[in-house]
Amino acid sequence: MKEKLYQRLIELTNGKQSSNLLQAIAKAKWSKRIIPSYMKLYDINLEEVSKKQQQFSCLHDFFTRELIEEARPIEKNPTVYASPVDAKIESFGRIEWDMTFLVKGKPYALQDLLGNTERAAQYADGHFIVFYLSPADYHRIHSPIDGEVLRQYTLGQKSYPVNQLGLTYGKKPISHNYRLVTELKAANNQHVAFIKVGATFVNSIVLTNTTTKWRKGQEVGYFSFGSTVVMLFEKDTIKFTDNVVKGSPIRMGEAFANML
Protein backbone atom coordinates (compact mmCIF):
# COMPACT_ATOMS: atom_id res chain seq x y z
CA MET A 1 0.00 0.00 0.00
CA LYS A 2 2.78 2.45 0.97
CA GLU A 3 4.67 1.58 -2.19
CA LYS A 4 1.66 2.23 -4.46
CA LEU A 5 0.83 5.52 -2.70
CA TYR A 6 4.41 6.74 -2.97
CA GLN A 7 4.60 5.86 -6.66
CA ARG A 8 1.31 7.65 -7.43
CA LEU A 9 2.39 10.82 -5.63
CA ILE A 10 5.71 10.83 -7.46
CA GLU A 11 4.01 10.34 -10.83
CA LEU A 12 1.66 13.25 -10.14
CA THR A 13 4.51 15.64 -9.34
CA ASN A 14 7.13 14.42 -11.81
CA GLY A 15 6.73 16.21 -15.11
CA LYS A 16 8.36 18.73 -17.39
CA GLN A 17 6.84 21.67 -15.52
CA SER A 18 8.09 20.58 -12.10
CA SER A 19 11.53 19.85 -13.54
CA ASN A 20 11.71 23.27 -15.18
CA LEU A 21 10.51 24.95 -11.99
CA LEU A 22 13.21 23.29 -9.87
CA GLN A 23 15.91 24.29 -12.32
CA ALA A 24 14.58 27.85 -12.57
CA ILE A 25 14.59 28.27 -8.77
CA ALA A 26 18.11 26.85 -8.40
CA LYS A 27 19.49 29.11 -11.16
CA ALA A 28 17.65 32.31 -10.16
CA LYS A 29 19.90 35.12 -8.90
CA TRP A 30 17.86 35.49 -5.72
CA SER A 31 18.58 31.84 -4.81
CA LYS A 32 22.09 32.84 -3.69
CA ARG A 33 20.40 34.11 -0.51
CA ILE A 34 19.58 30.47 0.29
CA ILE A 35 23.25 29.42 0.23
CA PRO A 36 24.08 30.29 3.90
CA SER A 37 21.09 28.28 5.14
CA TYR A 38 21.94 25.42 2.76
CA MET A 39 25.53 25.35 4.07
CA LYS A 40 24.33 25.31 7.68
CA LEU A 41 21.70 22.63 7.06
CA TYR A 42 24.21 20.26 5.43
CA ASP A 43 27.29 21.31 7.43
CA ILE A 44 29.35 22.08 4.31
CA ASN A 45 33.01 22.89 4.83
CA LEU A 46 33.71 26.04 2.82
CA GLU A 47 37.47 25.83 3.46
CA GLU A 48 37.78 23.09 0.83
CA VAL A 49 35.69 24.96 -1.77
CA SER A 50 37.51 26.82 -4.55
CA LYS A 51 35.40 30.01 -4.30
CA LYS A 52 34.24 32.20 -1.44
CA GLN A 53 30.57 32.12 -0.49
CA GLN A 54 29.81 35.57 -1.93
CA GLN A 55 31.30 34.60 -5.31
CA PHE A 56 28.56 32.09 -6.12
CA SER A 57 25.94 33.48 -8.48
CA CYS A 58 23.05 31.18 -7.44
CA LEU A 59 22.21 27.99 -5.56
CA HIS A 60 22.94 25.84 -8.63
CA ASP A 61 26.39 27.41 -8.89
CA PHE A 62 27.06 26.45 -5.26
CA PHE A 63 25.57 22.98 -5.64
CA THR A 64 27.97 22.20 -8.50
CA ARG A 65 30.91 23.81 -6.68
CA GLU A 66 34.51 22.86 -7.38
CA LEU A 67 36.99 22.04 -4.62
CA ILE A 68 40.61 23.02 -4.14
CA GLU A 69 42.89 20.34 -5.55
CA GLU A 70 44.38 19.23 -2.23
CA ALA A 71 40.92 18.62 -0.72
CA ARG A 72 40.63 15.23 -2.44
CA PRO A 73 43.92 13.29 -2.78
CA ILE A 74 43.71 10.66 -5.52
CA GLU A 75 44.80 7.05 -4.91
CA LYS A 76 47.98 6.77 -6.99
CA ASN A 77 48.28 2.99 -7.46
CA PRO A 78 47.36 2.37 -11.15
CA THR A 79 45.77 -1.00 -10.31
CA VAL A 80 43.39 0.46 -7.72
CA TYR A 81 39.99 1.97 -8.51
CA ALA A 82 39.31 5.33 -6.87
CA SER A 83 35.84 6.53 -5.89
CA PRO A 84 34.49 8.78 -8.67
CA VAL A 85 32.38 10.84 -6.24
CA ASP A 86 31.80 11.88 -2.64
CA ALA A 87 29.01 9.57 -1.55
CA LYS A 88 27.59 6.93 0.73
CA ILE A 89 28.11 3.32 -0.31
CA GLU A 90 24.49 2.28 -0.77
CA SER A 91 25.10 -1.30 -1.86
CA PHE A 92 27.77 -3.58 -3.33
CA GLY A 93 28.35 -7.22 -4.05
CA ARG A 94 28.22 -9.91 -6.68
CA ILE A 95 26.05 -9.79 -9.78
CA GLU A 96 23.96 -12.96 -9.88
CA TRP A 97 24.04 -15.59 -12.63
CA ASP A 98 20.76 -14.26 -14.03
CA MET A 99 22.37 -10.80 -14.41
CA THR A 100 20.57 -9.16 -11.49
CA PHE A 101 21.68 -7.48 -8.27
CA LEU A 102 19.76 -6.30 -5.21
CA VAL A 103 19.39 -2.77 -3.81
CA LYS A 104 16.98 -2.28 -0.89
CA GLY A 105 15.56 -5.73 -1.61
CA LYS A 106 14.67 -4.85 -5.21
CA PRO A 107 16.22 -6.88 -8.04
CA TYR A 108 17.78 -4.81 -10.80
CA ALA A 109 18.35 -6.41 -14.20
CA LEU A 110 21.53 -5.49 -16.05
CA GLN A 111 19.76 -5.44 -19.41
CA ASP A 112 17.37 -2.78 -18.06
CA LEU A 113 20.21 -0.75 -16.58
CA LEU A 114 22.41 -0.91 -19.70
CA GLY A 115 19.66 -1.11 -22.31
CA ASN A 116 21.40 -3.93 -24.15
CA THR A 117 21.37 -7.68 -23.46
CA GLU A 118 24.77 -8.36 -25.05
CA ARG A 119 26.50 -5.68 -22.97
CA ALA A 120 24.69 -6.90 -19.88
CA ALA A 121 25.98 -10.45 -20.38
CA GLN A 122 29.53 -9.12 -20.20
CA TYR A 123 29.06 -8.43 -16.46
CA ALA A 124 27.28 -11.67 -15.47
CA ASP A 125 28.82 -13.12 -12.28
CA GLY A 126 30.84 -9.94 -11.88
CA HIS A 127 30.56 -7.25 -9.20
CA PHE A 128 28.61 -4.04 -8.69
CA ILE A 129 28.75 -1.03 -6.39
CA VAL A 130 26.21 1.76 -5.89
CA PHE A 131 27.27 5.23 -4.67
CA TYR A 132 24.51 7.56 -3.41
CA LEU A 133 25.13 11.32 -3.45
CA SER A 134 23.02 13.35 -1.02
CA PRO A 135 22.32 17.09 -1.46
CA ALA A 136 25.17 17.74 1.02
CA ASP A 137 27.81 16.07 -1.15
CA TYR A 138 30.29 17.47 -3.62
CA HIS A 139 28.62 16.76 -6.99
CA ARG A 140 31.49 16.73 -9.47
CA ILE A 141 32.19 13.34 -11.10
CA HIS A 142 35.74 12.05 -11.69
CA SER A 143 37.26 9.14 -13.55
CA PRO A 144 37.77 6.09 -11.29
CA ILE A 145 40.74 4.75 -13.29
CA ASP A 146 43.00 5.46 -16.24
CA GLY A 147 41.06 4.16 -19.20
CA GLU A 148 39.76 4.44 -22.73
CA VAL A 149 36.16 5.50 -23.32
CA LEU A 150 34.67 2.87 -25.62
CA ARG A 151 31.16 4.32 -25.81
CA GLN A 152 28.78 6.71 -24.07
CA TYR A 153 25.01 6.82 -24.40
CA THR A 154 21.92 8.00 -22.53
CA LEU A 155 18.84 6.02 -21.49
CA GLY A 156 15.57 6.84 -19.75
CA GLN A 157 13.32 9.89 -19.82
CA LYS A 158 12.26 10.93 -16.32
CA SER A 159 14.19 10.95 -13.05
CA TYR A 160 12.66 9.80 -9.78
CA PRO A 161 14.18 10.22 -6.30
CA VAL A 162 17.04 7.86 -5.46
CA ASN A 163 17.03 8.59 -1.72
CA GLN A 164 15.99 6.03 0.90
CA LEU A 165 12.27 6.41 0.16
CA GLY A 166 12.84 6.30 -3.58
CA LEU A 167 14.94 3.14 -3.47
CA THR A 168 12.51 1.45 -1.08
CA TYR A 169 9.17 2.41 -2.64
CA GLY A 170 10.00 3.69 -6.12
CA LYS A 171 9.72 1.84 -9.45
CA LYS A 172 13.35 0.70 -9.61
CA PRO A 173 14.76 4.22 -10.17
CA ILE A 174 18.34 3.05 -10.69
CA SER A 175 17.48 1.14 -13.87
CA HIS A 176 14.66 3.37 -15.14
CA ASN A 177 15.76 6.94 -14.44
CA TYR A 178 17.49 9.08 -17.02
CA ARG A 179 21.11 7.92 -17.01
CA LEU A 180 24.39 8.38 -18.83
CA VAL A 181 26.30 5.14 -19.42
CA THR A 182 30.05 5.20 -20.03
CA GLU A 183 31.88 2.02 -20.93
CA LEU A 184 35.57 2.16 -20.06
CA LYS A 185 38.45 -0.16 -20.92
CA ALA A 186 40.99 -0.15 -18.13
CA ALA A 187 44.35 -1.91 -17.76
CA ASN A 188 44.53 -5.58 -18.75
CA ASN A 189 41.57 -4.90 -21.07
CA GLN A 190 39.12 -4.93 -18.16
CA HIS A 191 35.74 -3.48 -19.13
CA VAL A 192 33.89 -1.30 -16.63
CA ALA A 193 30.39 0.15 -16.89
CA PHE A 194 30.26 3.58 -15.23
CA ILE A 195 26.62 4.68 -14.95
CA LYS A 196 25.53 8.15 -13.81
CA VAL A 197 21.87 8.19 -12.70
CA GLY A 198 19.80 11.39 -12.58
CA ALA A 199 17.41 12.09 -9.72
CA THR A 200 14.78 14.36 -8.15
CA PHE A 201 12.90 15.07 -11.37
CA VAL A 202 15.88 16.79 -13.06
CA ASN A 203 17.70 14.98 -15.89
CA SER A 204 20.82 17.08 -15.51
CA ILE A 205 24.07 15.16 -15.91
CA VAL A 206 26.60 17.45 -17.54
CA LEU A 207 29.74 16.13 -19.26
CA THR A 208 32.79 18.33 -18.87
CA ASN A 209 35.24 15.92 -20.52
CA THR A 210 34.44 14.59 -23.99
CA THR A 211 37.85 13.04 -24.71
CA THR A 212 38.29 9.29 -25.15
CA LYS A 213 41.27 8.98 -22.80
CA TRP A 214 40.44 9.45 -19.12
CA ARG A 215 42.95 9.79 -16.31
CA LYS A 216 42.14 8.65 -12.78
CA GLY A 217 40.87 11.56 -10.71
CA GLN A 218 40.23 13.76 -13.74
CA GLU A 219 36.88 15.56 -13.67
CA VAL A 220 34.50 14.20 -16.31
CA GLY A 221 31.17 15.82 -15.38
CA TYR A 222 28.76 16.88 -12.66
CA PHE A 223 25.24 16.30 -11.34
CA SER A 224 22.80 19.15 -10.81
CA PHE A 225 20.92 17.43 -7.98
CA GLY A 226 21.31 14.49 -5.57
CA SER A 227 22.13 11.47 -7.65
CA THR A 228 23.61 7.98 -7.88
CA VAL A 229 26.56 6.29 -9.57
CA VAL A 230 26.58 2.57 -10.37
CA MET A 231 29.71 0.72 -11.44
CA LEU A 232 29.77 -2.78 -12.93
CA PHE A 233 32.82 -5.03 -13.21
CA GLU A 234 33.41 -8.22 -15.16
CA LYS A 235 33.79 -11.61 -13.49
CA ASP A 236 37.01 -12.13 -11.49
CA THR A 237 38.45 -8.68 -12.25
CA ILE A 238 38.25 -6.83 -8.91
CA LYS A 239 38.20 -7.25 -5.14
CA PHE A 240 36.63 -4.58 -2.95
CA THR A 241 38.91 -2.94 -0.39
CA ASP A 242 38.29 -3.23 3.36
CA ASN A 243 36.84 0.29 3.61
CA VAL A 244 33.88 -0.69 1.43
CA VAL A 245 31.11 -1.08 3.99
CA LYS A 246 27.40 -0.69 3.30
CA GLY A 247 26.19 2.70 4.52
CA SER A 248 29.68 4.12 5.03
CA PRO A 249 30.82 7.43 3.48
CA ILE A 250 33.56 7.55 0.87
CA ARG A 251 35.32 10.51 -0.68
CA MET A 252 36.26 11.06 -4.26
CA GLY A 253 39.77 9.71 -4.87
CA GLU A 254 39.70 7.08 -2.11
CA ALA A 255 40.41 3.46 -3.02
CA PHE A 256 37.44 1.08 -3.21
CA ALA A 257 38.61 -1.87 -5.33
CA ASN A 258 41.79 -3.62 -6.43
CA MET A 259 42.29 -5.09 -9.89
CA LEU A 260 42.91 -8.85 -9.99
Side-chain angles (χ1 to χ4, degrees):
M1 182 65 181
K2 286 182 180 179
E3 187 168 330
K4 291 292 183 184
L5 178 60
Y6 177 86
Q7 290 174 4
R8 285 192 176 186
L9 286 172
I10 291 298
E11 286 291 350
L12 285 171
T13 56
N14 188 2
K16 189 174 181 180
Q17 289 183 330
S18 58
S19 176
N20 289 341
L21 178 61
L22 278 172
Q23 293 191 59
I25 290 172
K27 292 180 179 180
K29 289 184 178 180
W30 60 262
S31 69
K32 68 184 298 183
R33 297 199 295 268
I34 303 173
I35 293 174
S37 299
Y38 188 94
M39 288 174 53
K40 186 176 181 180
L41 177 64
Y42 292 112
D43 194 25
I44 294 169
N45 178 15
L46 201 60
E47 291 183 359
E48 63 182 21
V49 179
S50 63
K51 294 196 294 189
K52 297 184 183 299
Q53 179 186 318
Q54 60 269 27
Q55 292 178 301
F56 290 99
S57 60
C58 60
L59 183 60
H60 177 269
D61 188 22
F62 181 74
F63 192 87
T64 59
R65 61 193 176 276
E66 296 177 301
L67 304 182
I68 56 176
E69 189 173 344
E70 55 268 30
R72 296 292 183 275
I74 309 299
E75 166 61 51
K76 290 183 171 56
N77 189 328
T79 63
V80 174
Y81 285 93
S83 177
V85 287
D86 278 13
K88 179 185 76 172
I89 297 172
E90 182 62 51
S91 187
F92 69 96
R94 184 172 290 280
I95 298 165
E96 300 298 330
W97 63 270
D98 60 350
M99 295 185 291
T100 63
F101 60 92
L102 292 175
V103 179
K104 293 291 182 184
K106 290 181 181 290
Y108 283 88
L110 293 191
Q111 53 263 43
D112 292 339
L113 185 63
L114 297 173
N116 183 289
T117 303
E118 186 177 335
R119 289 171 197 157
Q122 193 167 4
Y123 300 100
D125 292 323
H127 286 84
F128 76 95
I129 187 166
V130 179
F131 300 96
Y132 167 67
L133 290 77
S134 78
D137 288 318
Y138 165 65
H139 273 67
R140 298 270 164 171
I141 310 163
H142 298 254
S143 179
I145 202 73
D146 290 342
E148 177 188 353
V149 178
L150 299 178
R151 62 178 63 87
Q152 293 198 97
Y153 56 97
T154 59
L155 295 168
Q157 299 295 322
K158 293 184 177 182
S159 288
Y160 301 95
V162 289
N163 56 16
Q164 297 299 308
L165 282 174
L167 291 175
T168 302
Y169 298 119
K171 294 181 178 180
K172 299 185 180 179
I174 290 175
S175 62
H176 289 73
N177 277 15
Y178 173 82
R179 55 205 182 277
L180 173 61
V181 181
T182 304
E183 188 176 345
L184 290 169
K185 183 170 74 173
N188 302 324
N189 290 321
Q190 290 184 11
H191 285 224
V192 182
F194 182 28
I195 304 150
K196 286 74 68 183
V197 184
T200 319
F201 311 157
V202 181
N203 298 341
S204 187
I205 304 168
V206 179
L207 277 178
T208 58
N209 182 349
T210 56
T211 65
T212 57
K213 297 289 185 181
W214 284 5
R215 300 189 312 276
K216 183 161 65 171
Q218 182 181 38
E219 183 191 302
V220 296
Y222 64 81
F223 291 112
S224 285
F225 282 82
S227 306
T228 294
V229 169
V230 181
M231 293 188 66
L232 308 175
F233 303 90
E234 295 174 301
K235 183 180 179 181
D236 299 330
T237 58
I238 61 113
K239 181 181 180 182
F240 291 118
T241 51
D242 292 340
N243 63 309
V244 174
V245 177
K246 188 175 180 179
S248 67
I250 190 167
R251 284 188 157 195
M252 190 281 290
E254 292 180 348
F256 74 88
N258 294 303
M259 289 184 182
L260 297 179

